[in-house]
Amino acid sequence: MTNPPQLAVLSVTVAFSAFFGPILLTSLTPHVQPWIELLPISWGSTPLQCAPHTYTTTLVSLSPLLVYIHNFVSPSESRALVDLGIPLLEPSPITGYGSDARGSRARTSWSAPLPVTDSLVNCILARAESFMGTLLLEGRDNMGQAQLVRYTEGQKFDLHHDWFSRPRILDEDAKSGRRRLYNRIATIFLTLQADNITEGTGETWFPYVKPVTSSPAKTTGAPNPWWREHEDGGMAFKAIPGNALFWVNMFPNNGSGDGRTLHAGLPVKDGVKTAMNIWPRVFFGPDA
């Protein structure tokens, strides 16, 4: 049985919690929420639970298909991904015929593969895979390994395609003799950080992409906050943290690369731009 002094302490504790609890919760939530977003939720053998998405989309181009994604990741997710990848950065490679080369003048950024075992990375990849719907065949294709890329003063990536002109084979498949090749069916380019970048620099430029309709600058005089029509043709997309570009790299009817997806990472003036590349893989061949 609870004695009177204990009962008195218990009553005061309950009253204190009832009165001050909501006040403390309201004041602490803005500070605690960013950390809550990053916590993996796992109960026993239950699979990892990821934060629900809050993104919205804008269809930019139908042919080639290019979609602008608003708020694909939260600020706390962006910071965590940057912190994860920065210690791993090395000079960015250029993908060639079956191998990668570093030190090219065409690509002067820094990059790093992100750990495949990291829970946040897997949550972002799962979000990206869900966004793509039926583009990948379950059990055959996969999302590939995500890559962090960083551009500082003057760094760039000249015009290039993300698809391979000659499909590639995974190292483990080459060693085991598995007869399958892969190509990058699509790209999600996600900006995580854009600090103190001079306006009109550090953009992602597609010289052959045209918007479905004219930009607001031509119809209302108001500048578009996400992209502009480039002076040399096509569209240039601003580096806005949390936002992403999605485009399809290959023609679905024959699996060849779409030359209209040619794009460049324009040089950064001042500041720093950090982003995440996601290249979903489609496999084919006798053992795919």
Side-chain angles (χ1 to χ4, degrees):
M1 178 180 296
T2 304
N3 59 42
Q6 290 176 324
L7 184 60
V9 171
L10 180 61
S11 301
V12 171
T13 302
V14 171
F16 182 90
S17 301
F19 182 79
F20 289 103
I23 298 174
L24 290 173
L25 182 62
T26 301
S27 61
L28 289 176
T29 296
H31 304 284
V32 175
Q33 183 64 32
W35 296 101
I36 293 177
E37 292 177 2
L38 297 179
L39 291 177
I41 304 172
S42 181
W43 302 97
S45 60
T46 302
L48 174 70
Q49 301 296 312
C50 303
H53 79 77
T54 58
Y55 64 79
T56 58
T57 60
T58 299
L59 179 61
V60 177
S61 169
L62 286 172
S63 186
L65 180 63
L66 191 150
V67 179
Y68 191 89
I69 312 175
H70 309 263
N71 303 311
F72 191 68
V73 294
S74 69
S76 58
E77 289 173 332
S78 293
R79 289 192 298 270
L81 290 167
V82 171
D83 291 343
L84 176 67
I86 290 302
L88 308 174
L89 290 175
E90 295 181 351
S92 294
I94 290 281
T95 301
Y97 293 105
S99 63
D100 296 337
R102 301 182 187 276
S104 170
R105 294 183 180 180
R107 190 184 190 192
T108 57
S109 61
W110 294 76
S111 60
L114 291 173
V116 296
T117 56
D118 184 81
S119 59
L120 177 58
V121 172
N122 284 316
C123 281
I124 303 305
L125 290 178
R127 189 179 304 165
E129 185 173 9
S130 175
F131 167 81
M132 293 189 302
T134 61
L135 194 60
L136 302 183
L137 179 62
E138 186 176 357
R140 184 196 68 184
D141 306 325
N142 63 49
M143 292 299 292
Q145 187 171 10
Q147 180 194 71
L148 190 84
V149 60
R150 167 164 278 203
Y151 297 83
T152 57
E153 170 69 32
Q155 291 186 327
K156 58 169 185 170
F157 193 174
D158 290 342
L159 288 167
H160 63 283
H161 299 103
D162 285 351
W163 48 268
F164 304 127
S165 55
R166 184 178 298 171
R168 303 189 74 173
I169 185 171
L170 297 175
D171 290 341
E172 55 264 35
D173 286 349
K175 292 177 181 178
S176 67
R178 185 174 182 178
R179 298 168 300 169
R180 67 170 185 171
L181 301 173
Y182 75 92
N183 216 324
R184 295 169 173 170
I185 183 66
T187 296
I188 292 181
F189 182 75
L190 167 61
T191 301
L192 303 173
Q193 178 186 31
D195 293 345
N196 304 314
I197 296 177
T198 300
E199 183 70 21
T201 73
E203 298 163 314
T204 303
W205 175 40
F206 290 79
Y208 300 127
V209 168
K210 297 180 180 179
V212 176
T213 59
S214 297
S215 68
K218 287 190 173 183
T219 57
T220 66
N224 189 299
W226 309 298
W227 64 76
R228 65 184 177 91
E229 294 186 33
H230 195 273
E231 54 272 16
D232 293 327
M235 303 180 68
F237 295 86
K238 301 177 182 179
I240 301 177
N243 294 357
L245 289 170
F246 166 83
W247 65 91
V248 175
N249 288 315
M250 306 174 69
F251 291 108
N253 57 337
N254 59 16
S256 62
D258 189 339
R260 299 169 301 172
T261 61
L262 187 74
H263 61 285
L266 299 180
V268 168
K269 183 176 180 181
D270 302 320
V272 60
K273 167 186 169 182
T274 309
M276 181 179 181
N277 281 309
I278 300 174
W279 293 304
R281 297 167 174 173
V282 166
F283 289 85
F284 52 93
D287 300 331

